Amino acid sequence: MSVIQPGALLPLVPVGADSPAEQAAASRDDGAVSGSVHSWDLSTGVDGPGTRFVCFLAGCPLACLYCHNPDTMQMRNGQRTTADEVVEEARKYVAFIRASGGGFTISGGEPLLQPDFAGEVLRRVHDELGLHTALDTSGFLGARASDRLLESVDLVLLDIKSWDRELYLRLTGQQLEPTLAFARRLAALRKEVWVRFVLVPGLTDPEENVEGVAAFAASLGNVTRVDVLPFHKLGAAKWAELGKKFTLADTPTPTAAQVAEARSIFASHGLNAV
């Protein structure tokens, strides 16, 4: 089975164009759980501990201004793939992954746009392959993650893009509250979380905004790490090739001092910020 490779570009249609029928059709194929997969890859130190087999699902309800993979926004931009196919591909790397202390990460796009498929893949990788599992999510669709799905998740990589509600809406096109509700639910379940925060000069970098995310993360009690991710423009070419305007083209990347300052704010709340 040939899977779209990272960086492959397909025509982008407006965010939200995946219909309920399209979403439902992506859940089962001839009785087997299937989903829309954009690509898969191996990564180290980015998508959870150790070397990870990362499965990127297609489709996302957010339209982040700084998205570096805009080609993953639409479910139709992926390839129909069964859970069997994903598990068998990951199986090839089990010995290598275990030796590195790594695991399996399901990412996107937004994996919770396809909860049946994501849940089946996570369960089988966790139970059959015995790998550490991570769910990379914005949390906006956290209500779609059943307790059964979360039982197969060892770590949640949770993107909290802004504390300022108006800014969050501007950055993503959606509301912040569902993400916060999901974060509180994960805390109640004592599920380990790494918070991810993208530092964008002139947007997310005000001290009060960083402080708000830091205070919330510290209040949960289950956040073991915070990744302060410097804004970059590596996806600008994809936006151009898709015929879409990259609105942050003139936004500078943060300086090392700005990143260090943001990390110090998280650290001041007792969080492990990297």
Side-chain angles (χ1 to χ4, degrees):
M1 198 276 298
S2 175
V3 173
I4 302 167
Q5 295 302 309
L9 296 172
L10 294 168
L12 184 69
V13 293
V15 171
D18 289 321
S19 69
E22 287 176 307
Q23 294 181 28
S27 64
R28 290 191 175 271
D29 184 22
D30 296 329
V33 179
S34 66
S36 180
V37 173
H38 175 269
S39 57
W40 50 54
D41 201 359
L42 291 174
S43 72
T44 301
V46 177
D47 301 289
T51 298
R52 317 288 296 183
F53 183 97
V54 186
C55 180
F56 299 93
L57 304 192
C60 185
L62 274 57
C64 297
L65 297 183
Y66 50 69
C67 181
H68 61 279
N69 286 316
D71 46 319
T72 67
M73 286 184 178
Q74 293 300 316
M75 191 180 295
R76 65 187 64 173
N77 285 0
Q79 181 167 319
R80 181 67 62 82
T81 309
T82 66
D84 283 343
E85 291 173 301
V86 176
V87 172
E88 289 312 304
E89 186 67 22
R91 191 186 302 274
K92 299 175 184 177
Y93 306 95
V94 166
F96 176 66
I97 289 171
R98 285 179 179 160
S100 74
F104 177 97
T105 299
I106 196 160
S107 185
E110 170 53 64
L112 293 181
L113 192 63
Q114 304 179 63
D116 290 346
F117 179 64
E120 178 71 4
V121 170
L122 286 165
R123 181 189 64 78
R124 292 190 55 191
V125 168
H126 187 272
D127 295 350
E128 294 179 20
L129 303 187
L131 292 179
H132 178 278
T133 55
L135 169 68
D136 183 7
T137 177
S138 71
F140 179 72
L141 297 179
R144 293 192 179 188
S146 66
D147 287 348
R148 181 181 178 186
L149 184 156
L150 292 175
E151 285 175 1
S152 299
V153 175
D154 295 307
L155 171 69
V156 177
L157 308 176
L158 183 64
D159 296 320
I160 303 182
K161 302 170 191 295
S162 172
W163 186 249
D164 181 285
R165 272 61 169 177
E166 291 184 7
L167 176 59
Y168 191 94
L169 180 61
R170 178 185 169 193
L171 284 172
T172 71
Q174 299 288 3
Q175 301 291 331
L176 171 62
E177 293 308 319
T179 294
L180 302 185
F182 185 54
R184 295 186 187 101
R185 179 181 167 205
L186 293 173
L189 293 172
R190 298 184 178 179
K191 188 69 62 176
E192 183 181 7
V193 168
W194 288 8
V195 166
R196 288 175 155 185
F197 176 76
V198 179
L199 189 69
V200 186
L203 287 174
T204 66
D205 62 337
E207 181 177 348
E208 61 272 19
N209 190 49
V210 181
E211 176 73 26
V213 176
F216 176 74
S219 74
L220 297 173
N222 62 328
V223 176
T224 59
R225 169 169 159 162
V226 176
D227 288 319
V228 177
L229 305 174
F231 163 71
H232 61 73
K233 304 179 187 180
L234 298 180
K238 291 184 181 182
W239 285 91
E241 291 183 44
L242 291 166
K244 295 291 180 178
K245 182 180 180 181
F246 183 52
T247 58
L248 300 185
D250 296 327
T251 300
T253 57
T255 65
Q258 288 173 315
V259 174
E261 174 60 25
R263 287 175 177 155
S264 72
I265 293 174
F266 283 102
S268 72
H269 286 268
L271 296 165
N272 174 30
V274 298

